[in-house]
Amino acid sequence: MSPNAAPSEASTPLIIPELVRLDALPGSSKKDVIEYLAQVVASAGRADTPEGLAGDAIAREETAPTGIPGGIAIPHCRSPHVLAPSLGFARLAEAVDFGAADEQAADLVFMIAAPAGADDVHLQLLAKLARGLMNTEFTDALRKATTEEEVARLVTEQVEPDPADGEQAAAEPAVADDASAPAEGGTVIVGVSSCPTGIAHTFMAAEALEQAGKERGVTVRIEGQGSGKIDWLDPALVKRADAVVFAHDLPIKGRDRFAGKPMVDVGVKAAVNDAGALVDQALAAMEDPNAARVPEGGDASDDAEEENVHWARRLQRSVMTGVSYMIPFVAAGGLLIALGFLLAGYDVASLYEKISISDYSLWNLPGSEFMHEIKDSSDTVVATETISVSRSGMLLYIGWALFLLGKAAMGFLVPALSGYIAFGLAGRPGIAPGFVMGFIAGEVKAGFIGGLVGGILAGYFAAWLAGLNVPRWLRGLMPVVVIPLGTTLVVGSLMYMLLGKPLAALMTAMQNGLTSMSASGSAVFLGIILGLMMCFDLGGPVNKAAYLFATAGLDAATADKTAPYEIMAAVMAAGMVPPLALSAATFLRARLFTKAEVENGRSAWLLGLSFITEGAIPFAAADPLRIIPPSMVGGAVTGALSMVMHVGSKAPHGGIFVFFAIDNFLGFLIAILAGAIVTCAGVLALKQMAANKKAAAGDVAEIAAPAAA
């Protein structure tokens, strides 16, 4: 086989003698060893370039060392440069340090090279190899082998699939084989292991924990949540388990299956390095009533059956992903613009379009007057104008720079929204086309509506391409070339040719309606609606929709067009009300709240002042019917008052701490205080009614008890 020929058979073995080197001397560093093995893999026709494979493996190595106790190293990666799943092996004449926990240098080095689109069958074989590396008999045999053919045979026997494996892989859902059922009444520990790559450490940790359990006479079953299909633990075994061990670097899928059980929660390397200690900790946790336990309920992103999530729920989650990634751009950009206004004055907003900041420096500071040349289409100066600003010198120069930094950050608002919506729907292949759709939305003046639509279309189209059953030789190119190229071409063409103008017209109509509403008597109604939305789910999708609506308008605001500033102020003020009101309520009537709620109340005031509405979530989760309705009423009051008093905020975040960017700051405080008083009074009234009802029920029970006796 020529070095550049791609393996063509679907049953290409993971290791052949050409991938083995015995008593090699590649160099004294792990970088030398990785580059050596990448060359071995490429020379066998398993990678297109050794440099590309080595670069990806070294990048993976930098995230965490791949040395494991016993003189073994397993550098590994998933790479688009890999043409077929392969195992490069080198037995080193001089051991090289790979950062193992026992500080023993490695003389057995496996390079696990998987294509970016490796299929489940090959990933199962790689998992078996990873488990085998925890077996001393297997590693001793590798050290004693005399030929490359013998090493290839030993490894092949270790990863040889059972005849039933094909059937197992096809089952939905697959359940881990449990041939050796635990003895009746014996101790059972279950758990989950996972690592970022999902190839090596995931399954080595699982094997190490299960072996440590055997040494202690305890049944241990670990579910490896690696790449490809997951062999889910038997639900009956999970139900029977006495304790749980999580050895993971990624979120646990299906975590709520283990709710209520004593828990040991560590990184995956801890299990590889000292599995026995973790099993001992789990055994101790079984006897400790104060031991940490798996909490009730699970994170939405951890569903064991992610592929079965309803399309509407998945879409909503993806939009929220886009919003959450967008907010840092908004916060950074908006606050920098506000600081720029504070230092340089508001006329810097028009100055930057006519005068270049690069004409000045810290040693050549600008004055308060500038000459601006007006040129025609042939770049000929036809007139000049004098521009006067309210500041000069250092304050103007620094404020100008901060303003430009903020404008740059705000320029990523819609692309980030669109890019990460596509990421939520299609994973990494959706990011690039999603960002492009966000940029196109700005080009065609479609704003955040165009970003939403473009991101959703890019995400769905990229996900569809990713699900195609393409030839094996093409799989490695799909996530890095085919999907981004195809999605950008198709969806980008749609955005420019068909959707751009209608979306831009819709955005313009919305902005015009917003301006007219805030300038008329309808401003109060708009403030009420925004206040209700901000407090409906206290940081959830409805809250984020209102926030997105407000922040998207900031970029269009001007000195003469202040409606977007007023909307931003109403949204921020209403979002501050719930945590502030609940903090006050716990202070005024602590006996109506649980001890945990009183503790939360001690910090909720600071969250409220910072415009972090989520500070009220612990209260709402415990008693939604008595928390959310008063919060909505208070938010509506605040939103209405803020609009009536024409409060404006040039900063999209920061709460009371961006006072310098708020017009009519006194009105801002009055609106927040009024809403907080309404919410606090409503919560206390509802809580007191519930307490009175409970007390009355208790009195009835006491009276009825003697009669029953």
Side-chain angles (χ1 to χ4, degrees):
M1 182 182 292
S2 66
N4 297 321
S8 58
E9 296 184 9
S11 58
T12 304
L14 287 173
I15 189 167
I16 54 178
E18 289 77 10
L19 290 169
V20 178
R21 297 291 186 272
L22 299 181
D23 303 321
L25 284 167
S28 59
S29 71
K30 60 182 179 181
K31 181 176 180 290
D32 295 332
V33 177
I34 291 173
E35 290 175 344
Y36 174 77
L37 282 171
Q39 182 64 54
V40 170
V41 173
S43 66
R46 302 296 188 94
D48 54 10
T49 65
E51 295 82 10
L53 173 57
D56 290 338
I58 291 170
R60 164 62 187 86
E61 190 75 24
E62 289 175 351
T63 64
T66 55
I68 61 175
I72 304 168
I74 38 109
H76 57 279
C77 67
R78 299 176 67 125
S79 171
H81 299 287
V82 177
L83 303 177
S86 304
L87 298 173
F89 173 78
R91 189 175 68 195
L92 305 181
E94 295 181 1
V96 173
D97 182 18
F98 271 79
D102 63 354
E103 299 183 354
Q104 181 178 345
D107 63 331
L108 299 181
V109 183
F110 274 101
M111 171 175 276
I112 303 179
D119 57 38
D120 288 335
V121 173
H122 282 100
L123 292 170
Q124 289 173 11
L125 304 185
L126 293 172
K128 288 193 174 186
L129 171 72
R131 285 179 173 269
L133 291 175
M134 307 307 294
N135 186 334
T136 55
E137 293 181 2
F138 175 56
T139 54
D140 287 346
L142 292 175
R143 288 189 170 93
K144 295 175 182 177
T146 57
T147 65
E148 289 82 357
E149 290 76 11
E150 184 179 359
V151 170
R153 177 182 58 79
L154 287 168
V155 175
T156 301
E157 290 175 354
Q158 174 63 38
V159 301
E160 183 82 31
D162 297 328
D165 276 1
E167 301 174 7
Q168 169 85 5
E172 285 289 352
V175 177
D177 180 29
D178 193 19
S180 55
E184 189 68 29
T187 300
V188 176
I189 297 173
V190 296
V192 174
S193 62
S194 71
C195 67
T197 309
I199 297 175
H201 288 91
T202 295
F203 302 102
M204 295 171 68
E207 182 68 17
L209 288 165
E210 291 176 4
Q211 290 294 333
K214 288 180 182 179
E215 294 170 2
R216 289 159 175 76
V218 175
T219 298
V220 178
R221 295 287 183 272
I222 304 297
E223 177 181 286
Q225 294 187 357
S227 299
K229 290 187 180 296
I230 297 172
D231 290 342
W232 304 100
L233 288 167
D234 185 345
L237 189 67
V238 173
K239 184 177 181 180
R240 180 184 161 183
D242 302 290
V244 180
V245 175
F246 293 140
H248 65 114
D249 291 334
L250 295 176
I252 299 296
K253 297 178 181 178
R255 191 185 187 102
D256 54 341
R257 293 172 291 163
F258 310 97
K261 296 187 181 295
M263 169 184 68
V264 175
D265 195 338
V266 296
V268 69
K269 289 279 284 185
V272 176
N273 294 336
D274 194 354
L278 299 184
V279 174
D280 291 339
Q281 290 178 36
L283 293 172
M286 291 166 47
E287 309 299 328
D288 184 1
N290 297 318
R293 293 179 179 269
V294 182
E296 296 287 340
D299 203 28
S301 63
D302 292 343
D303 289 340
E305 301 292 342
E306 177 68 25
E307 63 273 15
N308 292 331
V309 172
H310 191 274
W311 70 268
R313 171 63 174 155
R314 184 175 174 224
L315 176 59
Q316 179 262 324
R317 190 185 301 170
S318 299
V319 171
M320 289 299 296
T321 298
V323 173
S324 66
Y325 278 103
M326 177 204 75
I327 286 175
F329 290 96
V330 179
L335 290 173
L336 284 169
I337 288 174
L339 286 170
F341 284 149
L342 177 68
L343 297 178
Y346 292 117
D347 41 20
V348 74
S350 58
L351 175 66
Y352 83 98
E353 294 180 330
K354 300 176 180 179
I355 309 297
S356 174
I357 191 176
S358 61
D359 294 336
Y360 302 94
S361 68
L362 291 173
W363 299 271
N364 179 30
L365 295 171
S368 60
E369 290 190 349
F370 303 86
M371 295 301 297
H372 172 233
E373 296 179 340
I374 302 174
K375 300 180 180 180
D376 60 15
S377 57
S378 62
D379 206 32
T380 301
V381 177
V382 295
T384 59
E385 66 173 329
T386 301
I387 300 174
S388 298
V389 295
S390 58
R391 310 283 169 84
S392 63
M394 183 68 75
L395 284 180
L396 175 60
Y397 184 67
I398 295 176
W400 196 351
L402 293 178
F403 178 84
L404 291 176
L405 284 172
K407 289 287 290 184
M410 290 292 285
F412 287 97
L413 188 156
V414 176
L417 172 68
S418 182
Y420 285 105
I421 288 175
F423 167 72
L425 290 169
R428 291 183 183 178
I431 292 180
F435 264 86
V436 174
M437 296 314 112
F439 176 81
I440 293 174
E443 289 286 289
V444 299
K445 310 300 182 186
F448 80 92
I449 293 179
L452 280 170
V453 174
I456 291 170
L457 290 176
Y460 275 123
F461 193 82
W464 175 75
L465 285 178
L468 293 178
N469 187 16
V470 298
R472 184 172 179 175
W473 59 267
L474 187 58
R475 291 176 188 170
L477 295 176
M478 288 295 288
V480 293
V481 177
V482 177
I483 296 175
L485 174 61
T487 303
T488 303
L489 175 63
V490 173
V491 182
S493 298
L494 282 174
M495 288 288 291
Y496 268 127
M497 299 178 186
L498 295 177
L499 299 176
K501 288 185 177 179
L503 291 173
L506 178 60
M507 187 69 186
T508 301
M510 181 180 293
Q511 289 174 339
N512 291 340
L514 172 65
T515 302
S516 62
M517 182 179 288
S518 57
S520 66
S522 300
V524 174
F525 179 70
L526 178 61
I528 291 173
I529 296 298
L530 292 173
L532 291 172
M533 291 178 69
M534 287 302 294
C535 300
F536 175 73
D537 51 4
L538 305 173
V542 177
N543 170 284
K544 290 296 185 290
Y547 181 72
L548 176 62
F549 182 59
T551 55
L554 284 181
D555 202 39
T558 64
D560 301 324
K561 187 179 177 183
T562 60
Y565 294 145
E566 293 181 9
I567 290 168
M568 188 70 253
V571 163
M572 184 154 65
M576 295 167 65
V577 165
L580 289 172
L582 289 165
S583 179
T586 57
F587 174 76
L588 294 172
R589 300 291 296 277
R591 66 179 183 83
L592 296 177
F593 298 88
T594 65
K595 184 177 180 181
E597 288 174 329
V598 173
E599 289 295 323
N600 285 330
R602 292 177 180 174
S603 59
W605 66 271
L606 182 57
L607 298 176
L609 292 177
S610 304
F611 181 37
I612 301 176
T613 315
E614 289 83 351
I617 288 179
F619 300 92
D623 195 1
L625 295 179
R626 296 180 183 87
I627 300 298
I628 292 178
S631 296
M632 292 177 66
V633 174
V637 169
T638 296
L641 288 175
S642 179
M643 296 297 286
V644 165
M645 293 185 287
H646 299 288
V647 179
S649 174
K650 298 178 178 65
H653 215 292
I656 200 171
F657 299 105
V658 291
F659 60 90
F660 54 83
I662 296 175
D663 297 328
N664 190 8
F665 185 63
L666 179 60
F668 185 68
L669 293 179
I670 291 172
I672 294 171
L673 182 60
I677 290 173
V678 170
T679 297
C680 180
V683 169
L684 290 178
L686 292 176
K687 286 279 190 180
Q688 187 62 60
M689 289 170 60
N692 293 342
K693 185 176 180 180
K694 184 177 180 181
D699 292 341
V700 171
E702 289 179 6
I703 293 171

